[in-house]
Amino acid sequence: MNRTPIRSFITPKSLVPWCIYLTIKMTIIVIAHRLSTIRHTDQVIVMEQGRVIKQGATRLI
């Protein structure tokens, strides 16, 4: 049996539609290293060494 790791199927691009769908019903907290991953969010908090350095709408960050 050929086993393919699940990480081969999960990519940031494949997660975005699910995150958008889920936000209709709940609040989602996403930890991302790329701004393109969170471009559809309402609120962004940027942290550095455990401290908040920026907070606001995605288009303003």
Side-chain angles (χ1 to χ4, degrees):
M1 180 175 195
N2 185 9
R3 294 182 182 216
T4 304
I6 190 70
R7 68 178 175 266
S8 297
F9 298 105
I10 299 174
T11 65
K13 286 184 180 184
S14 69
L15 287 176
V16 170
W18 282 105
C19 289
I20 292 169
Y21 171 76
L22 290 174
T23 59
I24 295 168
K25 299 190 181 262
M26 61 186 74
T27 299
I28 306 276
I29 297 174
V30 178
I31 299 171
H33 296 277
R34 298 179 186 166
L35 286 176
S36 62
T37 305
I38 55 170
R39 69 175 173 250
H40 297 292
T41 59
D42 297 322
Q43 180 83 359
V44 175
I45 298 171
V46 179
M47 299 182 74
E48 186 175 289
Q49 296 182 356
R51 296 191 177 151
V52 175
I53 59 170
K54 289 183 184 178
Q55 181 175 353
T58 307
R59 66 183 182 281
L60 300 176
I61 297 293

